[in-house]
Amino acid sequence: MAFFVFNSASKMVSSPLVILGFILICVTLHCNSLAEAKANPRPNIVLILTDDLDVSIGGMHLPTILVISSVMKFVASPLCCPSRASILTGKYPHNHHVVNNTLEGNCSSTAWQKTQEPETFSAFLQKHGTYQTFFAGKYLNEYGSKKAGGVEHVPLGWDHWFALESNSKYYNYTLSVNGRAQRHGQNYSEDYLTDVLANISIDFLENKSNRRPFFMMVSTPAPHSPWTAAPQYESSFPNVKAPRDPNFNIHGKDKHWLIRQAKTPMTNSSVEFLDNAYRKRWRTLLSVDDLVEKVVRKLEVSGELSNTYIIFTSDNGYHTGQFSLPMDKRQLYEFDIRVPLLVRGPYIKPNQTSPLLIANVDLGPTILDIAGYNVNETQMDGMSFLPIMTGKGNSSTWRSDVLVEYEGEGSNISDPACPLLGPGVSECFPDCVCEDSYNNTYACVRTVSQAANLQYCEFDDNEVFVEVYNLTADPFQLSNIAKSIDQEVLEKMNHRLMMLQSCSGRSCRTPGVYDSQSVLP
């Protein structure tokens, strides 16, 4: 059995398991025959996408027996809809133009449907007719809006469509079943969404055509709010608290004003709230374990597992108390932009790890590469990491940096509960700590190479505020070194950022400042 992890080697994870089913299955299932894979040159592909699942603060835990450090994949934007759009299109936000979770921000808008849905990896798979395609779960936050075609709209690329209307829920929701509304209530056995997605997925695997390979994408609500656990898991992890890492509940000095405005120390009520939310998030993930185990077991029984790639990841990260920010995900730091990436499949040696820099814009190109299609025929910004996983690629030619973009949101009027903050803020907690603002708009170059482990960020605000972190020396991003770093490095990182912000397609994959072709002195 093959199991491949992209990792950052920043710290060992040794706590109790979450995502238990997937990890143990990947280690224990017997898979010693590649004959089936060779007999069928077109492998099956399963993509399991979670919602708000971080790596940096323990959102996902790995068994110590694997001796694997925390996995590393970066998102193009730390917000659901822009990130999911990047996964689907293989493009950075400045190319797919989804900037937030609203219709006005192009989230599942008619403009998105017209210009970007025809360029998703699923549309490409369906267009060529080789793969049968299946989707179940959360698509984009505004999917199903009446202003954008309602649940009757089935995006290009999907033969079997079971999409959640609107944002993450666990009960009392509507699914679009191939364009027809199917309403669910609050009966656990019939309506708990994670289990419903598992059952729909198994039904597809039982009834699909065996004449063609399949692509299956299952997008769970967990661990997104409202963090509703299945009844059997409601009492799990009674003593778990959010990690008290070095950046927990401290003042974010030398950071953007939005971080500096957070009250330190946090109120007792905020700490109690975030600890409770952390436990609830873990509980919802136990049902994801069940889903993954059912899917993998079904593939094993049907004899298809050895010819199936399984990819497990998330749309963005999350924070609970870091820099005294109670809870959210819209910041530039590792806890919000770094997510899990686990892959198993044909020709992948078991228990590998990789230090290479992977972004969610790479998922689409990789899926198409697995399916046997030429990524260069698309407009995708990302790169296929299939050669890296299967040992056919040259890691020395892999790019050393990726782009992270976010466009902040804020209300035009003051929050009545927090009038001193004035207009332009949003996502405010009762103690007047706000998680977002209209000028929380930034772009970052995240660099990982043998020569450097850096993050360079610029804000689009009146200050043109800059944050720079050396994550080798400062993994918790406590010290902004923008004012002390060598000016030549700043200028080169600024130039690289401008290039990435204007890149498209192949130009997004060119060597960066720290690639082997252009290492700084």
Side-chain angles (χ1 to χ4, degrees):
M1 167 55 81
F3 179 67
F4 194 94
V5 177
F6 290 91
N7 89 87
S8 70
S10 60
K11 64 176 181 177
M12 192 66 65
V13 180
S14 57
S15 302
L17 302 182
V18 176
I19 312 302
L20 176 64
F22 182 78
I23 303 298
L24 292 188
I25 286 167
C26 287
V27 174
T28 63
L29 283 183
H30 187 56
C31 178
N32 61 1
S33 174
L34 291 176
E36 293 178 51
K38 292 178 180 178
N40 183 357
R42 300 277 187 171
N44 306 307
I45 309 166
V46 176
L47 172 61
I48 298 173
L49 180 66
T50 54
D51 199 334
D52 289 1
L53 181 58
D54 67 276
V55 164
S56 294
I57 61 168
M60 179 175 178
H61 288 233
L62 303 176
T64 56
I65 191 172
L66 293 180
V67 197
I68 293 174
S69 54
S70 51
V71 298
M72 178 172 65
K73 187 198 80 176
F74 290 95
V75 297
S77 181
L79 190 63
C80 295
C81 204
S83 179
R84 288 166 180 266
S86 288
I87 291 171
L88 291 163
T89 63
K91 297 178 181 179
Y92 286 120
H94 69 266
N95 286 327
H96 61 58
H97 307 297
V98 177
V99 298
N100 56 42
N101 292 341
T102 68
L103 278 178
E104 294 74 18
N106 208 28
C107 181
S108 204
S109 66
T110 53
W112 155 267
Q113 295 169 15
K114 182 178 179 180
T115 64
Q116 299 303 317
E117 282 184 347
E119 297 187 5
T120 60
F121 64 77
S122 57
F124 200 88
L125 290 176
Q126 189 186 59
K127 177 182 177 181
H128 287 76
T130 305
Y131 277 75
Q132 49 193 320
T133 56
F134 167 92
F135 181 91
K138 177 178 174 179
Y139 178 59
L140 300 176
N141 297 58
E142 286 293 334
Y143 172 75
S145 171
K146 292 182 179 178
K147 294 181 179 179
V151 296
E152 293 77 18
H153 171 69
V154 177
L156 288 172
W158 303 104
D159 301 317
H160 307 272
W161 180 252
F162 301 85
L164 176 68
E165 178 188 34
S166 191
N167 201 4
S168 293
K169 298 178 182 177
Y170 298 83
Y171 293 108
N172 298 310
Y173 57 86
T174 297
L175 290 179
S176 170
V177 179
N178 297 318
R180 299 184 64 178
Q182 183 185 88
R183 291 175 176 82
H184 287 258
Q186 51 188 11
N187 182 309
Y188 167 69
S189 62
E190 299 177 357
D191 301 314
Y192 188 70
L193 181 55
T194 308
D195 290 352
V196 169
L197 297 180
N199 294 336
I200 293 172
S201 300
I202 298 304
D203 287 344
F204 167 72
L205 292 175
E206 290 180 344
N207 297 300
K208 64 178 175 59
S209 169
N210 291 323
R211 297 178 181 177
R212 293 191 294 157
F214 67 86
F215 172 81
M216 183 167 75
M217 181 173 178
V218 186
S219 181
T220 76
H224 195 287
S225 61
W227 315 304
T228 308
Q232 66 270 32
Y233 299 133
E234 287 179 346
S235 299
S236 300
F237 311 118
N239 300 316
V240 166
K241 293 183 178 181
R244 269 52 172 174
D245 286 341
N247 54 17
F248 179 83
N249 201 12
I250 68 167
H251 181 63
K253 62 179 181 178
D254 298 324
K255 290 175 169 51
H256 190 244
W257 76 268
L258 183 66
I259 310 301
R260 299 196 306 268
Q261 58 86 35
K263 294 179 174 63
T264 304
M266 292 182 287
T267 62
N268 291 338
S269 59
S270 287
V271 174
E272 181 180 356
F273 183 73
L274 68 86
D275 277 338
N276 189 41
Y278 193 87
R279 285 188 290 273
K280 289 181 177 179
R281 282 161 52 81
W282 271 28
R283 291 165 183 161
T284 66
L285 288 170
L286 292 175
S287 293
V288 179
D289 288 347
D290 296 339
L291 180 155
V292 175
E293 183 172 5
K294 288 177 182 178
V295 169
V296 176
R297 294 292 183 191
K298 182 63 180 177
L299 291 169
E300 183 192 26
V301 170
S302 66
E304 297 173 289
L305 185 60
S306 63
N307 194 37
T308 301
Y309 286 90
I310 301 177
I311 304 169
F312 182 95
T313 190
S314 179
D315 57 359
N316 49 255
Y318 207 71
H319 60 259
T320 48
Q322 283 62 46
F323 301 124
S324 299
L325 298 171
M327 287 190 310
D328 200 51
K329 57 201 173 187
R330 301 158 205 264
Q331 309 309 328
L332 56 87
Y333 309 104
E334 295 286 279
F335 41 73
D336 286 354
I337 67 171
R338 203 176 107 205
V339 297
L341 176 59
L342 304 119
V343 187
R344 55 89 52 216
Y347 311 107
I348 299 178
K349 294 180 180 179
N351 303 339
Q352 296 183 76
T353 63
S354 172
L356 297 179
L357 187 63
I358 307 297
N360 60 0
V361 294
D362 299 328
L363 287 171
T366 302
I367 289 167
L368 292 181
D369 193 9
I370 291 171
Y373 300 120
N374 185 354
V375 177
N376 290 326
E377 294 180 1
T378 73
Q379 298 299 313
M380 293 183 174
D381 302 333
M383 303 169 64
S384 170
F385 53 83
L386 177 63
I388 301 297
M389 293 189 295
T390 56
K392 297 179 181 179
N394 185 352
S395 60
S396 64
T397 62
W398 191 259
R399 49 101 148 91
S400 66
D401 50 29
V402 294
L403 176 68
V404 179
E405 301 174 291
Y406 180 70
E407 186 169 317
E409 298 178 80
S411 172
N412 291 327
I413 60 175
S414 298
D415 185 334
C418 306
L420 295 179
L421 293 175
V425 295
S426 63
E427 308 297 322
C428 297
F429 279 75
D431 49 2
C432 295
V433 175
C434 298
E435 294 274 4
D436 204 7
S437 66
Y438 73 93
N439 65 356
N440 183 39
T441 297
Y442 56 81
C444 303
V445 179
R446 185 64 179 89
T447 298
V448 176
S449 72
Q450 291 184 347
N453 185 4
L454 290 174
Q455 183 179 29
Y456 174 92
C457 302
E458 291 183 8
F459 283 83
D460 184 12
D461 60 9
N462 292 335
E463 294 181 271
V464 192
F465 196 80
V466 175
E467 294 189 32
V468 183
Y469 298 96
N470 177 354
L471 282 99
T472 299
D474 180 22
F476 295 100
Q477 296 170 288
L478 304 176
S479 300
N480 177 11
I481 60 173
K483 295 180 180 179
S484 60
I485 196 170
D486 187 272
Q487 187 64 30
E488 182 183 2
V489 174
L490 282 178
E491 291 174 359
K492 289 189 175 184
M493 295 300 289
N494 169 265
H495 179 76
R496 180 62 174 165
L497 178 62
M498 290 190 293
M499 192 288 293
L500 285 173
Q501 284 185 283
S502 61
C503 76
S504 179
R506 293 189 183 187
S507 65
C508 297
R509 312 169 207 154
T510 58
V513 173
Y514 282 94
D515 280 281
S516 58
Q517 299 93 326
S518 53
V519 177
L520 284 176

